Amino acid sequence: MAPIPVALCGKNPNMASRFTDAMNDEFHVTHVFTSVGAVSHELPALLKGESIKPSSGLGSNCHSEKSQAPKAIIVGAGFSRSELDEMRKFEGCKDIPWLYPDPTKMAGTGFRALFGGDFMTSVVNRAKSTMRENGLEEGKEDQVKPDVWGF
């Protein structure tokens, strides 16, 4: 089973790198965006099939001759809801699912997870679970509803 390519919007490069490392089996982080500006410049090109390297220097597209377009975009809590809404307005960006932190689901991870080593594992597991629940699986990537999914 080939991992499904996803992208991450994460303002903190250290946390983005930890997230990328933890997302290792059925989903694969190909591109990391650290700002709305990076999304506006890089994501529409990726979605059109153009090869573009991440300005963040993170994600497998850094080391690949041909860039992989993501099948979903995972947005970190450092981005506001208004920034999410702005990013979704860029060309082609409403045609893909976006995952955005849902405080009601975050509460279920427990207080210890927020400050302990389990934090990133918890975030990654919530993202993976949300993608599975919404039907994002190998061979069906283009059949999912392009919407904002809370995770």
Side-chain angles (χ1 to χ4, degrees):
M1 177 167 109
I4 296 170
V6 297
L8 173 66
C9 294
K11 289 187 177 181
N12 180 312
N14 181 44
M15 290 186 76
S17 181
R18 287 177 52 214
F19 183 94
T20 299
D21 290 345
M23 178 75 77
N24 59 8
D25 47 17
E26 68 199 281
F27 301 99
H28 169 76
V29 178
T30 60
H31 212 96
V32 175
F33 307 98
T34 56
S35 69
V36 173
V39 173
S40 72
H41 174 70
E42 299 168 24
L43 185 54
L46 272 176
L47 296 175
K48 289 181 197 171
E50 297 174 21
S51 277
I52 188 166
K53 302 288 183 202
S55 58
S56 67
L58 298 170
S60 63
N61 283 344
C62 289
H63 312 290
S64 177
E65 195 171 302
K66 172 135 176 59
S67 296
Q68 276 190 296
K71 299 297 182 180
I73 311 293
I74 303 162
V75 181
F79 285 85
S80 69
R81 181 62 197 222
S82 63
E83 287 174 312
L84 168 69
D85 294 340
E86 180 182 349
M87 292 184 291
R88 290 190 72 232
K89 290 178 183 175
F90 302 136
E91 183 180 357
C93 293
K94 284 211 180 205
D95 300 329
I96 188 167
W98 292 71
L99 284 76
Y100 189 72
D102 178 344
T104 63
K105 293 181 180 180
M106 291 170 69
T109 62
F111 185 76
R112 279 189 58 210
L114 293 176
F115 298 100
D118 294 335
F119 173 73
M120 196 54 65
T121 301
S122 173
V123 173
V124 166
N125 288 341
R126 283 196 335 264
K128 287 180 177 182
S129 176
T130 299
M131 289 187 282
R132 281 188 224 107
E133 289 168 8
N134 283 280
L136 187 58
E137 56 187 78
E138 186 178 21
K140 298 182 180 181
E141 299 96 339
D142 296 324
Q143 298 174 19
V144 296
K145 182 181 176 188
D147 203 352
V148 177
W149 303 337
F151 79 100

